[in-house]
Amino acid sequence: MLAPSNQPYRNPRAVFWRAEAIVAGPATMAARLYAPAQIAADAGVVLHLHGGAFTNGSLAQGEAVATMLSEAGAVVISLDYPLAPAHRFPEALEAAYATLHSIGKNRARWAAKQAPLYVAGEEAGGNLAAALALMARDRRGPALAGQILLSPMLDACVGTCSLREADAGPVGCHWADGWAQYLGTPDKAAHPYAVPANASRLAGLPPALLISGEDDPMRDEAAAYAARLQEAGVSVRHHVQTGPTQWPAGYAGAPRNESCLCLSVRHVSEFYALNAPP
């Protein structure tokens, strides 16, 4: 884990967004495109999935994280994916994969033709991003330069110490309720694309950046996944921000001095630099 910089936060790039429509197979997906005012020649393209425990959340609620990912030096496409329970696993994931495939083919619309491609997400969006990395490996594309997982929901058991510390047991826990609505039936929890923590084969995945906080309910599952990725030979950078961070609610506010998103800008920018093709 890297120590946080003592330098005050300064927004390195002014970021603007506009509504975007992505043709993904037979569907057209609503999205937001976030981009710095000046796009660097080596900027990557990031598919971002917002949080919301699979059942809520929106493009507006994902704005702070999407902006942070763009401030770090990338063009970001934040996807309005279908929500449970109206759309259970694997509907949201397949929609996200079709969008990722389309972005990979058409990235020259927003950046360089060979711009590195990333997936990213917070909370439930982190689950989808991790699953997309598995799918892209198994389906032989598109090639990913990295996966950025912020407080990802990776374990449907909802029984970690960090979740218990947050008083988020299975009864009345919105994350447990979200898992139930997303999966529909318990047998789906065995599928690695639904619950990446259950994946038995992690080798061959793109480099991963995992970020959580000391007071983050998802802290333990993020740490466990980072350790398993590393054991499988995947390049991993794992950062646990010191508390109090108010994770995952801290994702709602814009970066400011020493906030969790302020520190995340630095980590993500370093991750882009490390994993961009030469």
Side-chain angles (χ1 to χ4, degrees):
M1 182 174 67
L2 297 182
S5 168
N6 292 322
Q7 295 299 314
Y9 174 71
R10 295 182 179 87
N11 183 348
R13 298 172 179 85
V15 171
F16 302 90
W17 71 265
R18 70 169 187 259
E20 190 81 3
I22 308 293
V23 177
T28 298
M29 304 296 296
R32 281 185 179 183
L33 175 71
Y34 293 81
Q38 293 185 329
I39 301 173
D42 60 351
V45 178
V46 181
L47 174 61
H48 165 250
L49 295 312
H50 64 75
F54 301 111
T55 61
N56 52 62
S58 65
L59 292 177
Q61 289 170 311
E63 180 175 348
V65 173
T67 300
M68 178 275 292
L69 293 167
S70 188
E71 285 180 354
V75 175
V76 176
I77 297 172
S78 187
L79 181 65
D80 188 17
Y81 60 86
L83 300 176
H87 303 278
R88 301 190 191 275
F89 173 81
E91 290 184 54
L93 186 58
E94 290 290 355
Y97 180 77
T99 303
L100 178 66
H101 196 272
S102 178
I103 292 170
K105 288 177 58 179
N106 300 291
R107 72 191 82 179
R109 285 178 55 190
W110 309 289
K113 185 175 181 180
Q114 299 300 322
L117 185 62
Y118 301 85
V119 289
E122 69 274 16
E123 200 235 29
N127 171 291
L128 296 173
L132 285 174
L134 291 165
M135 293 176 74
R137 177 200 63 188
D138 297 344
R139 298 183 182 183
R140 302 186 181 278
L144 296 177
Q147 51 182 316
I148 302 167
L149 314 178
L150 297 93
S151 304
M153 289 177 64
L154 299 170
D155 187 348
C157 292
V158 198
T160 63
C161 179
S162 57
L163 276 164
R164 292 196 302 272
E165 288 173 352
D167 293 325
V171 178
C173 169
H174 79 275
W175 291 298
D177 294 341
W179 275 115
Q181 296 291 345
Y182 178 59
L183 297 176
T185 57
D187 60 293
K188 290 183 179 177
H191 200 298
Y193 294 170
V195 185
N198 290 343
S200 60
R201 187 172 64 90
L202 297 176
L205 290 175
L209 171 64
L210 289 96
I211 301 176
S212 62
E214 288 182 344
D215 52 353
D216 175 13
M218 310 303 160
R219 180 195 67 216
D220 291 348
E221 52 202 277
Y225 197 62
R228 290 198 58 221
L229 287 170
Q230 197 161 32
E231 289 170 2
V234 178
S235 174
V236 177
R237 293 170 73 83
H238 179 212
H239 301 276
V240 181
Q241 320 287 34
T242 57
T245 65
Q246 298 183 328
W247 295 71
Y251 293 124
R256 60 186 185 278
N257 283 344
E258 299 309 313
S259 70
C260 55
L261 281 186
C262 165
L263 297 174
S264 296
V265 170
R266 299 165 186 158
H267 300 324
V268 173
S269 182
E270 291 167 357
F271 186 71
Y272 292 155
L274 282 170
N275 295 291

